[in-house]
Amino acid sequence: AIVLEDNTIRSNAGPGVAIEGALVVPVPRLRRNTIVQNGSHAMALSGSRGGIIEANQLRDNDGSAVRLNDTRQLTILGNQIADHDEGGIVLGVDGVGGGDLLVTGNLVERGGRSSVELSVDGPVTLADNDVRDGSATGISVVATADTAVQLDRNRISRAGAG
């Protein structure tokens, strides 16, 4: 497992955290980090299987808050995400998608694109998220024909307000 807990990551030229599974399949545990004002994404994960992104403060990064490609069996829980130039949580939009995701209890606000933007080929559940004040769509999901997508009790307000 790759464990990053209780760190402050700030003002880097590129992503705050980048994890790519080339030789090994990473199982990230990213908890209680503050990742702010980086020159790209706050968190960029590719090839992950399993893991959790929980209770992080992700603000004012030049890319997305959480950018995922080819990622499966991941839980994104209780994060505070704000003021990104791109989307808040983005999966597979410019690469291979993923699935088997649970996205719950997050606050996503003031993103530069869709606040939550997913391109999936496996099941995904979005529940109990607060999504507000994004410059485009609140939640956008593109899924293959046989993919289970479940959206429950999300609160979306003022999409397109940016």
Side-chain angles (χ1 to χ4, degrees):
I2 296 171
V3 178
L4 274 80
E5 295 181 341
D6 302 308
N7 297 288
T8 298
I9 301 169
R10 163 186 313 272
S11 301
N12 295 291
V17 173
I19 299 172
E20 186 170 332
L23 300 176
V24 298
V25 177
V27 179
R29 291 190 182 99
L30 309 172
R31 291 188 175 116
R32 299 177 310 273
N33 298 291
T34 299
I35 304 176
V36 297
Q37 299 172 337
N38 293 288
S40 184
H41 313 300
M43 296 180 174
L45 282 71
S46 181
S48 297
R49 300 294 182 267
I52 188 165
I53 297 173
E54 180 180 18
N56 297 286
Q57 304 269 334
L58 310 173
R59 294 186 315 275
D60 293 319
N61 293 284
D62 288 349
S64 299
V66 179
R67 169 73 90 191
L68 309 168
N69 278 307
D70 188 23
T71 299
R72 301 187 182 282
Q73 302 165 338
L74 181 70
T75 298
I76 302 172
L77 169 67
N79 298 284
Q80 293 185 1
I81 297 171
D83 301 315
H84 294 280
D85 290 351
E86 296 180 16
I89 300 171
V90 179
L91 169 64
V93 173
D94 47 330
V96 178
D100 302 315
L101 300 176
L102 173 61
V103 180
T104 187
N106 298 286
L107 169 62
V108 183
E109 57 187 345
R110 297 182 306 276
R113 280 195 341 202
S114 296
S115 296
V116 178
E117 188 173 358
L118 307 178
S119 178
V120 295
D121 57 9
V124 61
T125 299
L126 288 95
D128 300 309
N129 297 289
D130 285 305
V131 178
R132 59 186 179 226
D133 300 323
S135 64
T137 307
I139 295 175
S140 172
V141 180
V142 176
T144 56
D146 58 349
T147 299
V149 175
Q150 185 172 340
L151 289 97
D152 294 321
R153 300 172 310 279
N154 295 288
R155 291 158 300 282
I156 302 167
S157 61
R158 298 182 302 273

